[in-house]
Amino acid sequence: MITVGDRQIPNIIYREVDVPNIREFDVYVKNGGYEGLKKALGMTRAAVIQEVKESNLRGRGGAGFPAGVKWSFIPQDNPVNYVTVNADESETGTFKDRQIMENNPHQLIEGALICAYAVKAKAVYIYLRGEFWDVAHALDKHIADARKAGVLGKNSALKDADGNPFTVEVYTHLGAGAYICGEESALLNSLEGKLGQPRVRPPFPAQKGGGLYSEPTVVNNVETLANVPWIISNGAAEYKKIGVGGSSGTKVFCMSGHVKKPGNYELPFGITFRELLYDYAGGPLDGREFKAILPSGGSGPIIRVTDELLDTPLTYEDLQKHNSILGSASVIVMDDTTDIVWVASKVIKFFKHESCGKCTPCREGTYWLDKVLDRILRGEGKPSDVDLIANVANNMKPTTLCALGEFAANPVIWTIKNFPEEFKAWVEGDKKAAALQAGKSAHHSAPKVAALPAAGD
Amino acid sequence: MNTLQQKYAERITVTLDKYPDKRSAVMPMLYIAQEEYGHITPEGIAQVAEICDMDPTQVKSIAGFYTMYSEKPKGKYWLQVCVDLPCALRGADEFHHWLLDELGIEEGGTTADGVFTAEHVMCLAACDKAPMLQCNFHFEENLDKDKMRAKLKAWRDEALAAKNGKK
Amino acid sequence: MAKTVTITIDDKQYEVPAGTNLVDVAKFHANNDIPVFCYHPKMAPVGMCRMCLVEQGAIEKDRASGEVVLDEAGQPKVRWMPKLQTACTQMVADGMVIRTQSEQVKAARENVVEFLLTSHPLDCPICDKGGECPLQNLTMEHGKGGTRMAYEDKQHLDKHVPLGEADSALIFLDEERCIQCARCVRFQDEIVGDDVLAFHERGRRLQIITNSEPHGFDTYFSGNTTDICPVGALTTADFRFGARPWELTEIPSIDPFDAAGSNISLSTRLDRDFGGRAMIKRVMPRQNEEVNEIWISDKVRFGHHFTRSDDRLMTPMARSGGSLSATSWADALSAAASKIKAAGGSVAAIAGSGMSNEDLYALKQLVSAAGGKHLGAWPITHTGADLLAQVGLGKGSNLGTLGKGDAVLVIASDLEEEVPMWRLRLKRAHDRGAYVVVANARKTRMDDFADVVVRYDAGKAAHWLADLKAQNAQVAEKLAGANNLVVVTGSEGLTLDGHRALMQAAANLLIETQHVGKANNGLLSTLPGANGMGLHYLGFSPEQTRDIAKAAPKVLIVAQAELLADDPNAEAWLSKVETVISLSLFPDAVATKYAAVALPIQSFAERDGTFTNGERRVQRFYTAQGPLGEALPAWQALGRLAEAAGLGKAKLSASSVMLEISQTIPAFEGMTYKAISAVTKQFPDVGGNDLYYGGTAYQNRGGLGLVIPTSADKGGAVATGKVSLTDAPKPGSGEFVVIPSTRLYNKESVFKPSVLVHPRIMAPYAEINSADAKKLGIEQGAVVEITAGGATVRVKAHVNGGAPEGSIVLPRHLTDQAVPVAITTGKVSKV
Ligand SMILES: Cc1cc2nc3c(=O)[nH]c(=O)nc-3n(C[C@H](O)[C@H](O)[C@H](O)COP(=O)(O)O)c2cc1C
Ligand code: SF4
Ligand code: FES
């Protein structure tokens, strides 16, 4: 149970909190597992999709697209459709899907199967980032358990509403170190054994020609699908009672950076930043103050921590008002010891490393931004360099092929916009002078960050 | 039948069975090739190409795109320290440089005894457990210098034992 | 009529064909150049470079009524998309509205150019592409003028990287110059079907690599990538640092090597290395959508060196006292003329398919004026050109438009080796959905692009085809039911009579299923050389060659036919000819051993002329290179010979020969040089100054050629004929069936001087079935001796399943001695 003030809300996603060992098939089944699937199989496909639509379940992978609407795009008369589960989880600061797969894997499998039924898919591919090597192998075992128990695969004991055997297969597929493979069309390319570069759209994955092996395909995030069994079992109306407005249900918040208790917190939409940061994540480290937040990992705009911000409810809608996004809710918290220009440089390095190279502005822009930020951090920057990078980033935004290029522009655009004084210090102020004096340090140019005690096991 | 097909027959069959198109198996096959030869070698590429019915150029291309395949030889333990923003906020950069110093190598280098290769990587989805690293694809989390020293020693002993055992 | 849609580009409306790409349409119909780098009109769009961004909207329509919604000013209301869109990835749609000149669009173009230049070196002065570089041109047009990227921040990468082994690479890569457009990668994958190029690494480190066996970037079309590369990243080993593009003069010409008749452009320059005469510096494609589109094979691109080879025959020679020595044209001609006059009508000729229509006409005139009867065609591998004249590929055909609903049968041919351009185009037809059947006794490359692969016993192609319904009912039905059907025959594994039977069976199939006399329907054959159909129309045939061989004439004129190098059996009958008069490019064995008079003639590059390609298209080539030695065009040499013999009057120009042909040979009616040289605008519109679009393939200024209609095209009755099946040769005990095959790269005299390609010419080999090899104890790579059809050769054994059991596949023109021309039997032994 999640305690929010005096409310008690069930853990929809992290059920291991309430039910130890729910990762095991028997335990899962004993606690209502696969009932959602069975119920769905008794409904028409259209009814399942309708239920998910009504629940307002929005994609948890970042873009927040309504899941039911996405499913309804799949042509039901196409002979072969696919479901792919996006378990690439590579956004800086995101680590929630891993916990679902490790601790509550059957719920993901069940959700994916319900989706597969609803869109008449032949198979489910779970695309995990390569680094989830151990996670994938454990997941393989859980899939095998479910297969043995007859809930999936060609020998499944289940039948759908028309009395046909329900024989969807579930497979895992490991990536091998590429953030871009979280982008859905790059993911599909990677799964087809091609370079993980995004495809031109249209056609979209849900359309013929655009999905896996050119067949219509649903791509959903792990957390998105893990919500589905609960929605089918308890109904959309119940689900909507959790959360607020257009943001229904719970959301996992990945808390990292300068907080006392980093970790994943499953909470209903609508709690405030203040509650999240202080009540759950334990507040700032001793003697420090919060300074800035990246609410959506490295890719979203950075925001300054103010009282007004702290009182903002965490919903898709409210964050937009702060010129930011909720995205996948990977909340990276920075306190007053953090140098924001260094943050911009760190994040650009990530995107430069992860740019697939397919489109010009992203490939060249990330390289260029990184070069100039390095120069600034060596103390060799000029005031005009700040305008330069702002301009380069702004030129990237409208011209890139996929959203990675836009993500990459954000850290520069928003650090400059929201923390102009920090850049000033580097290009004409005290930091510039200090850096020049220090010269090029042997290993790296980033300012030292005070060593921290590791979070408890 | 090439070496991989002989030695990993079962795994290869199971993997190929997952997909309607052999090409989809290229990534799993590259992992097998890397396992067999320590890194992605020309012979590994040629065999994967044969298994997946692809041109070797395309296989090399895939190996080059994804960072978990290494086309260069690596130490027995391949340490990849996450120094991305969330980890860095919790001291990962320092930890990383300490580790390089401890091993006496440069970024991406391999120790003289061939036991360790160390380098930094981007976010590994373990941000709440920094500092952390990935050793041969297994996560080691919530590290500090003492813990790390102990691990290095254990791995080095293991490597030496394996080497001696072979002799 | 194709469906059309109405679109608005920069406030003007255009009605354009539906289902076409916006960039192509803007250029062709609105004369609006949307700049592109990655988009290429021949390949699927990928939207990578982002140069083609435009503002895009759609005219709003009321959902219920379907009526156009009007704004306050009464104009149709446009719903604009929030972000710029890549024009290259858009298909035109009704009501589409585009802006290509707005500030937003201009800024985007400027920004993309700036991004591209952040990594690009500034080495234009030493770059082969300088002067015809899309990046250079588009930078001038759309760039900012200055760079804001600090020079020291630029990434430095390897230059002159061979794409393959250092000593044999045909294409070199300059990594710094590459702008990652993937055109080269996509060309190899989509157009050629050999995905031997790819990107390595990612992000800013993305680089082109090859890792293929055995030579890396090794395909028959690799050179085309250098044309479509929008920068100087890819260059050919042949042309690198050869000349600056602006010094070159482009001369239209025709691929002299095969029946496709690809249109080429010879880039020439007055060159010190060639005595200040015009010299070919490189060979480029010239657009002809119905023939070769904008591609050419590497054979013609790199195979021009024979035209300037020091080994060419430079002066007329005459034999006295057994040895051949140089003489004057006047003496040589009078010596030859006296022999002809004394022959009493026992004069015949054998001509090769390198002879132009004009040459052949002059030869025919000479022989008939001298009272001779036989006009032999060379080589004697293929026949049935008469059937091609009746039911050949219909007028107005374009293999580039075959697709869904159409069918193609390729039989008894290794098409990739025989006519690579047809292989390329049929692969694309397959991609577009054409049903492709490939039938042969053995595996060939074309199998990769087939829906159905058929194997028959060696020598039994016609048996299979004549009995198709019983042999394979499904294939028979599919071919019969196709909207359009093209049959391509080769003669692999067949005797001359066997090939006639196959041609007749193919003709019958086409006639019976009513696939004749229409565009995109009919018969093709892989006739060797550039003018196989010209030989036919001017009266030459291989059957007459056989007649000549049976009864030696007193005087035999051998014109551009290397009888002895080609055929181990030729010497037996050639030696019986009293007087051989030879006209050749090289002092080949016919000239050196048997000719009484040997006359040097000019290659296609040194003179004007026409070839008639396998699709019966008569096409013109122009004088490009300065003359070599005293060589003359063959038509001229023959005209003068006739004059010397008192048998006619020499013509003064190739065009006047053609004029006479057009007036006297019905097939060539109306085919004056003027008519053949006519050009109309082609789609896509490439080769103008907008090199960024199609690449450096040249616009066609030399003529699209004219197609000789078939009898079927003219509505004449075409009847099926009897198929005279011939038995396949039966090997005796311990013997094998020997199947001669064709390799594109070989040691024929017209290819050998192009040393650049030598590493790609296979060492002499024969394919032997692994079961047979096992029985004989022959290992892979072992040297074996093959005795067959009058030849004994030593070659390496390739034991890899290419040859059917009981047979040996023996490629021609790899060994120094001639190997059999047609299927035969023979023995193999270990050496
Ligand atoms: C560069 C990039 C990286 C992404 N990475 C992920 C990821 O790691 N996991 C994920 O679920 N979605 C990721 N997405 C979003 C996916 O493209 C897609 O929107 C999502 O998988 C859809 O699932 P959902 O609707 O359930 O969220 C990424 C998008 C982009 C542009
Ligand atoms: S080499 Fe040329 S064609 Fe190939 S990707 Fe680079 S720029 Fe494009
Ligand atoms: S993105 Fe359209 S031409 Fe490159």
Side-chain angles (χ1 to χ4, degrees):
Chain A
M1 284 291 166
I2 309 166
T3 311
V4 183
D6 45 16
R7 272 199 303 163
Q8 289 275 76
I9 293 159
N11 275 93
I12 294 177
I13 300 299
Y14 290 151
R15 288 185 66 202
E16 72 272 18
V17 173
D18 303 324
V19 187
N21 278 333
I22 194 151
R23 73 167 68 85
E24 300 306 331
F25 182 81
D26 295 343
V27 180
Y28 184 68
V29 168
K30 230 175 261 154
N31 288 278
Y34 290 105
E35 289 303 323
L37 173 61
K38 285 178 191 153
K39 184 168 168 193
L41 289 175
M43 298 160 65
T44 63
R45 297 172 200 276
V48 175
I49 294 176
Q50 190 55 32
E51 197 69 31
V52 175
K53 263 190 196 170
E54 265 169 33
S55 76
N56 264 337
L57 172 65
R58 292 175 60 166
R60 305 293 198 240
F65 193 83
V69 176
K70 187 183 280 187
W71 299 5
S72 68
F73 294 151
I74 302 286
Q76 295 267 351
D77 52 357
N78 191 58
V80 181
N81 297 329
Y82 291 105
V83 171
T84 58
V85 181
N86 192 337
D88 192 59
E89 184 148 80
S90 306
E91 173 71 43
T92 305
T94 313
F95 45 90
K96 64 191 176 67
D97 296 338
R98 175 181 159 206
Q99 188 173 335
I100 298 171
M101 292 186 283
E102 281 177 342
N103 295 333
N104 194 9
H106 286 290
Q107 194 164 317
L108 167 63
I109 297 167
E110 184 180 357
L113 289 171
I114 295 172
C115 175
Y117 168 66
V119 303
K120 247 182 151 171
K122 184 180 150 197
V124 175
Y125 289 94
I126 306 178
Y127 185 103
L128 299 97
R129 62 180 299 177
E131 294 85 348
F132 286 172
W133 182 266
D134 291 332
V135 182
H137 288 95
L139 197 52
D140 279 339
K141 179 207 159 263
H142 298 303
I143 294 167
D145 288 348
R147 187 180 292 120
K148 221 180 291 159
V151 301
L152 60 87
K154 60 176 186 291
N155 299 322
S156 150
L158 302 176
K159 293 210 180 337
D160 68 17
D162 304 325
N164 298 318
F166 177 71
T167 56
V168 172
E169 259 302 348
V170 180
Y171 304 108
T172 59
H173 180 96
L174 273 169
Y179 164 67
I180 187 61
C181 292
E183 194 284 334
E184 57 189 12
S185 63
L187 181 152
L188 297 174
N189 273 341
S190 181
L191 195 44
E192 289 177 11
K194 302 179 183 148
L195 292 187
Q197 295 184 322
R199 300 174 179 173
V200 165
R201 276 152 294 182
F204 291 92
Q207 293 171 308
K208 186 98 184 161
L212 186 61
Y213 309 118
S214 291
E215 302 294 351
T217 301
V218 170
V219 184
N220 267 141
N221 171 257
V222 169
E223 185 186 350
T224 313
L225 290 171
N227 274 290
V228 170
W230 200 97
I231 292 169
I232 297 298
S233 293
N234 300 280
E238 277 302 305
Y239 188 78
K240 274 197 287 196
K241 285 186 193 159
I242 308 168
V244 289
S247 306
S248 52
T250 63
K251 177 77 196 82
V252 177
F253 295 90
C254 308
M255 303 301 301
S256 68
H258 292 147
V259 290
K260 276 212 181 97
K261 291 195 295 180
N264 284 319
Y265 296 93
E266 181 182 352
L267 295 164
F269 281 106
I271 63 146
T272 63
F273 266 119
R274 193 183 299 281
E275 290 169 289
L276 180 65
L277 289 173
Y278 288 90
D279 299 353
Y280 297 95
L285 299 167
D286 293 341
R288 313 261 189 94
E289 266 173 51
F290 290 139
K291 175 174 178 180
I293 292 179
L294 278 162
S296 175
S299 61
I302 190 167
I303 22 188
R304 191 187 282 276
V305 177
T306 59
D307 274 338
E308 196 212 337
L309 179 82
L310 288 173
D311 291 325
T312 303
L314 288 156
T315 65
Y316 291 107
E317 299 80 5
D318 286 286
L319 272 183
Q320 240 161 28
K321 293 182 204 147
H322 282 270
N323 277 328
S324 196
I325 52 167
L326 187 63
S328 53
S330 355
V331 184
I332 307 174
V333 185
M334 289 149 279
D335 65 23
D336 50 358
T337 61
T338 315
D339 186 301
I340 299 296
V341 180
W342 170 83
V343 170
S345 160
K346 264 281 174 199
V347 181
I348 277 298
K349 284 198 192 303
F350 173 82
F351 287 115
K352 177 188 138 199
H353 187 257
E354 300 300 340
S355 171
C356 76
K358 181 167 178 172
C359 82
T360 309
C362 174
R363 178 182 69 237
E364 307 294 339
T366 51
Y367 177 80
W368 193 356
L369 292 176
D370 179 47
K371 285 280 176 192
V372 179
L373 279 166
D374 272 355
R375 188 159 80 218
I376 294 175
L377 286 173
R378 286 197 307 267
E380 295 163 14
K382 303 183 288 288
S384 63
D385 282 341
V386 182
D387 301 331
L388 173 67
I389 53 175
N391 182 261
V392 168
N394 276 312
N395 290 348
M396 286 167 67
K397 261 199 130 160
T399 51
T400 60
L401 169 64
C402 89
L404 191 145
E406 291 177 53
F407 295 170
N410 277 337
V412 168
I413 293 173
W414 292 99
T415 50
I416 293 177
K417 199 171 263 179
N418 288 340
F419 297 89
E421 70 285 0
E422 304 238 352
F423 280 89
K424 217 164 166 198
W426 276 103
V427 292
E428 52 190 321
D430 52 336
K431 289 199 172 167
K432 178 181 171 103
L436 278 175
Q437 194 140 36
K440 288 169 199 164
S441 91
H443 277 310
H444 63 124
S445 50
K448 287 258 154 55
V449 178
L452 285 162
D457 276 68
Chain B
M1 262 243 220
N2 61 44
T3 312
L4 296 184
Q5 276 168 319
Q6 274 164 15
K7 277 179 90 164
Y8 301 85
E10 158 104 30
R11 245 166 95 187
I12 291 175
T13 315
V14 169
T15 307
L16 287 174
D17 281 351
K18 285 187 185 180
Y19 313 101
D21 182 0
K22 280 183 178 175
R23 184 173 178 135
S24 279
V26 63
M27 291 174 67
M29 293 306 129
L30 279 169
Y31 278 125
I32 292 177
Q34 181 157 280
E35 203 171 306
E36 174 66 19
Y37 298 107
H39 63 283
I40 302 295
T41 59
E43 68 215 296
I45 287 179
Q47 294 178 48
V48 171
E50 198 182 333
I51 295 168
C52 298
D53 203 6
M54 285 166 73
D55 191 289
T57 298
Q58 303 301 319
V59 177
K60 187 175 168 71
S61 169
I62 297 292
F65 184 86
Y66 297 98
T67 55
M68 288 175 69
Y69 305 120
S70 174
E71 292 186 75
K72 285 194 230 107
K74 290 275 174 241
K76 186 165 187 322
Y77 295 93
W78 181 10
L79 309 179
Q80 296 178 296
V81 186
C82 174
V83 299
D84 213 343
L85 179 66
C87 280
L89 289 171
R90 304 186 73 82
D93 278 319
E94 253 215 337
F95 177 80
H96 175 50
H97 292 126
W98 167 82
L99 179 65
L100 291 178
D101 290 344
E102 186 78 6
L103 294 171
I105 54 177
E106 292 280 303
E107 167 69 16
T110 302
T111 53
D113 57 7
V115 178
F116 295 108
T117 296
E119 65 188 1
H120 74 267
V121 290
M122 296 303 166
C123 185
L124 290 176
C127 320
D128 54 337
K129 305 192 177 68
M132 64 81 61
L133 58 75
Q134 175 184 248
C135 173
N136 296 351
F137 307 160
H138 305 297
F139 284 10
E140 304 288 344
E141 301 173 322
N142 294 321
L143 295 169
D144 55 36
K145 291 177 187 171
D146 289 339
K147 268 197 209 169
M148 196 64 219
R149 273 198 202 95
K151 281 194 192 295
L152 290 178
K153 179 167 182 331
W155 285 329
R156 184 163 262 141
D157 290 348
E158 206 171 294
L160 278 176
K163 209 167 161 192
N164 293 335
K166 240 187 230 159
K167 277 183 193 160
Chain C
M1 240 343 260
K3 237 186 83 186
T4 61
V5 295
T6 305
I7 64 170
T8 309
I9 303 178
D10 297 336
D11 301 328
K12 265 176 80 178
Q13 289 204 344
Y14 300 90
E15 190 161 319
V16 301
T20 39
N21 182 287
L22 181 55
V23 173
D24 298 344
V25 158
K27 179 179 288 288
F28 199 84
H29 297 274
N31 210 8
N32 183 325
D33 283 350
I34 298 175
V36 298
F37 284 113
C38 68
Y39 179 67
H40 188 281
K42 290 286 175 189
M43 296 188 279
V46 287
M48 293 169 70
C49 75
R50 318 304 287 171
M51 188 62 192
C52 64
L53 290 167
V54 293
E55 277 184 67
Q56 185 186 332
I59 291 176
E60 221 168 294
K61 282 192 179 154
D62 187 83
R63 283 247 175 98
S65 66
E67 296 278 305
V68 171
V69 181
L70 300 180
D71 64 12
E72 297 91 60
Q75 292 296 314
K77 212 165 143 188
V78 177
R79 210 177 37 232
W80 293 99
M81 299 182 100
K83 280 183 80 169
L84 297 177
Q85 300 292 312
T86 44
C88 74
T89 60
Q90 308 294 326
M91 287 292 175
V92 291
D94 213 29
M96 189 183 237
V97 185
I98 301 293
R99 280 190 196 139
T100 69
Q101 302 300 326
S102 65
E103 286 312 312
Q104 215 187 339
V105 171
K106 284 186 185 156
R109 289 176 183 173
E110 200 176 280
N111 293 334
V112 171
V113 168
E114 179 176 45
F115 280 129
L116 284 171
L117 293 178
T118 58
S119 295
H120 200 79
L122 303 168
D123 60 352
C124 304
I126 54 151
C127 178
D128 280 323
K129 206 77 167 201
E132 54 179 19
C133 173
L135 181 59
Q136 206 176 34
N137 296 351
L138 291 185
T139 302
M140 305 296 256
E141 212 171 316
H142 303 286
K144 282 193 168 93
T147 172
R148 301 186 290 166
M149 173 90 176
Y151 183 76
E152 63 274 15
D153 283 347
K154 273 195 203 266
Q155 179 171 251
H156 294 289
L157 298 165
D158 293 344
K159 294 177 114 38
H160 320 311
V161 180
L163 285 175
E165 292 151 0
D167 54 352
S168 67
L170 291 175
I171 309 292
F172 282 77
L173 168 70
D174 186 309
E175 293 184 344
E176 275 187 8
R177 293 183 191 151
C178 172
I179 59 167
Q180 287 83 22
C181 69
R183 275 185 174 186
C184 54
V185 174
R186 291 180 285 136
F187 171 80
Q188 279 304 133
D189 186 25
E190 281 177 44
I191 309 277
V192 184
D194 264 331
D195 48 358
V196 298
L197 291 181
F199 281 124
H200 194 236
E201 304 209 44
R202 68 185 187 212
R204 189 58 209 94
R205 295 189 313 282
L206 216 53
Q207 290 305 335
I208 297 295
I209 53 152
T210 183
N211 185 43
S212 303
E213 295 294 327
H215 296 292
F217 186 11
D218 180 24
T219 75
Y220 288 159
F221 298 96
S222 67
N224 294 293
T225 58
T226 65
D227 295 334
I228 58 174
C229 178
V231 290
L234 296 177
T235 47
T236 69
D238 197 36
F239 180 64
R240 269 157 58 84
F241 313 127
R244 307 317 310 268
W246 55 83
E247 305 166 345
L248 299 172
T249 306
E250 295 302 325
I251 308 294
S253 192
I254 300 296
D255 180 342
F257 292 116
D258 67 34
S262 295
N263 290 204
I264 57 177
S265 182
L266 302 175
S267 304
T268 65
R269 180 178 80 172
L270 300 179
D271 206 288
R272 235 188 348 208
D273 290 349
F274 197 51
R277 288 166 295 171
M279 172 181 169
I280 300 171
K281 301 301 288 183
R282 62 177 187 184
V283 179
M284 303 290 274
R286 179 167 59 103
Q287 185 183 24
N288 192 334
E289 284 302 311
E290 294 181 7
V291 177
N292 55 304
E293 304 175 31
I294 56 170
W295 317 121
I296 56 173
S297 76
D298 283 2
K299 181 164 184 178
V300 61
R301 188 185 297 267
F302 301 128
H304 57 94
H305 296 269
F306 80 92
T307 63
R308 291 182 302 286
S309 166
D310 289 340
D311 296 336
R312 285 266 302 270
L313 182 62
M314 302 282 185
T315 57
M317 312 279 271
R319 192 174 301 274
S320 63
S323 75
L324 211 51
S325 51
T327 179
S328 68
W329 268 102
D331 289 351
L333 291 175
S334 84
S338 66
K339 297 284 186 193
I340 293 174
K341 278 193 285 193
S346 181
V347 176
I350 296 178
S353 52
M355 296 276 279
S356 72
N357 294 319
E358 295 77 3
D359 301 337
L360 294 171
Y361 181 75
L363 182 55
K364 174 188 161 83
Q365 293 297 92
L366 171 62
V367 171
S368 62
K373 275 205 299 283
H374 292 313
L375 297 173
W378 194 260
I380 46 171
T381 51
H382 291 61
T383 183
D386 49 323
L387 292 168
L388 291 169
Q390 285 175 37
V391 296
L393 190 69
K395 206 176 159 164
S397 292
N398 180 349
L399 297 181
T401 60
L402 287 177
K404 218 173 167 57
D406 302 332
V408 178
L409 167 65
V410 178
I411 182 164
S413 166
D414 188 349
L415 200 54
E416 167 112 337
E417 304 290 333
E418 294 170 19
V419 188
M421 185 55 61
W422 288 354
R423 197 291 275 158
L424 185 88
R425 303 188 80 207
L426 292 178
K427 182 256 174 200
R428 296 293 281 161
H430 175 67
D431 294 345
R432 288 186 297 264
Y435 174 77
V436 176
V437 180
V438 175
N440 201 334
R442 65 178 180 109
K443 183 174 167 42
T444 65
R445 183 67 214 287
M446 194 62 206
D447 290 3
D448 294 353
F449 312 110
D451 295 274
V452 179
V453 173
V454 174
R455 293 272 177 275
Y456 48 72
D457 290 342
K460 298 280 180 82
H463 301 67
W464 178 80
L465 188 57
D467 191 28
L468 181 59
K469 279 199 194 108
Q471 295 283 340
N472 193 328
Q474 202 198 341
V475 166
E477 201 177 303
K478 283 279 238 179
L479 297 185
N483 295 341
N484 298 299
L485 172 62
V486 176
V487 179
V488 185
T489 82
S491 66
E492 190 177 286
L494 299 171
T495 58
L496 197 63
D497 293 332
H499 189 233
R500 171 156 292 281
L502 176 62
M503 289 291 281
Q504 188 65 60
N508 290 356
L509 169 72
L510 288 158
I511 294 166
E512 279 161 10
T513 60
Q514 295 175 0
H515 287 300
V516 295
K518 299 183 283 194
N520 283 358
N521 285 278
L523 185 58
L524 285 175
S525 176
T526 60
L527 296 168
N531 205 21
M533 283 313 288
L535 280 166
H536 165 75
Y537 283 117
L538 290 154
F540 294 74
S541 72
E543 283 81 3
Q544 293 179 74
T545 306
R546 213 155 48 176
D547 292 341
I548 293 167
K550 268 187 223 143
K554 280 212 172 91
V555 173
L556 179 65
I557 303 172
V558 180
Q560 239 178 311
E562 299 193 355
L563 312 178
L564 301 177
D566 288 349
D567 183 356
N569 291 322
E571 185 139 23
W573 52 264
L574 185 65
S575 58
K576 293 191 191 129
V577 174
E578 237 167 65
T579 304
V580 173
I581 299 170
S582 97
L583 291 85
S584 64
L585 296 171
F586 290 90
D588 71 322
V590 174
T592 56
K593 275 179 91 173
Y594 291 100
V597 178
L599 304 173
I601 54 171
Q602 292 177 348
S603 74
F604 79 108
E606 303 152 66
R607 59 181 183 126
D608 282 20
T610 57
F611 289 137
T612 308
N613 81 355
E615 300 180 48
R616 306 176 322 284
R617 183 179 294 263
V618 181
Q619 307 190 97
R620 218 183 135 178
F621 54 87
Y622 296 70
T623 304
Q625 191 161 259
L628 201 68
E630 293 174 34
L632 290 177
W635 59 264
Q636 198 176 2
L638 290 161
R640 286 220 225 154
L641 180 55
E643 207 169 276
L647 298 170
K649 184 130 181 45
K651 288 264 177 323
L652 291 176
S653 67
S655 66
S656 56
V657 181
M658 193 64 196
L659 185 66
E660 189 167 312
I661 297 177
S662 71
Q663 288 160 349
T664 56
I665 311 266
F668 291 91
E669 198 187 322
M671 296 215 178
T672 59
Y673 272 14
K674 189 161 173 231
I676 303 167
S677 313
V679 184
T680 49
K681 191 173 170 185
Q682 305 181 68
F683 185 87
D685 185 13
V686 311
N689 292 326
D690 47 358
L691 297 167
Y692 62 85
Y693 179 60
T696 43
Y698 282 89
Q699 210 167 41
N700 201 323
R701 298 201 185 85
L704 297 175
L706 282 178
V707 172
I708 300 173
T710 61
S711 322
D713 285 332
K714 288 188 288 201
V718 282
T720 56
K722 186 176 173 319
V723 179
S724 309
L725 294 174
T726 56
D727 280 339
K730 290 208 177 53
S733 92
E735 281 196 331
F736 285 85
V737 175
V738 175
I739 307 170
S741 69
T742 304
R743 295 293 313 208
L744 185 68
Y745 293 164
N746 57 38
K747 289 198 193 133
E748 281 184 292
S749 60
V750 287
F751 194 59
K752 218 159 72 177
S754 297
V755 288
L756 187 67
V757 197
H758 277 192
R760 287 183 165 53
I761 300 175
M762 299 284 284
Y765 73 93
E767 304 249 1
I768 178 164
N769 186 278
S770 50
D772 295 330
K774 210 164 172 189
K775 265 184 249 159
L776 296 175
I778 294 170
E779 302 206 331
Q780 175 74 7
V783 176
V784 293
E785 188 167 272
I786 298 176
T787 305
T792 298
V793 288
R794 288 190 172 189
V795 296
K796 274 193 178 158
H798 283 193
V799 186
N800 45 20
E805 203 169 340
S807 66
I808 303 279
V809 178
L810 182 60
R812 300 175 64 218
H813 296 120
L814 294 184
T815 46
D816 292 331
Q817 320 92 301
V819 304
V821 174
I823 187 168
T824 180
T825 57
K827 282 197 161 32
V828 185
S829 58
K830 258 202 319 189
V831 176

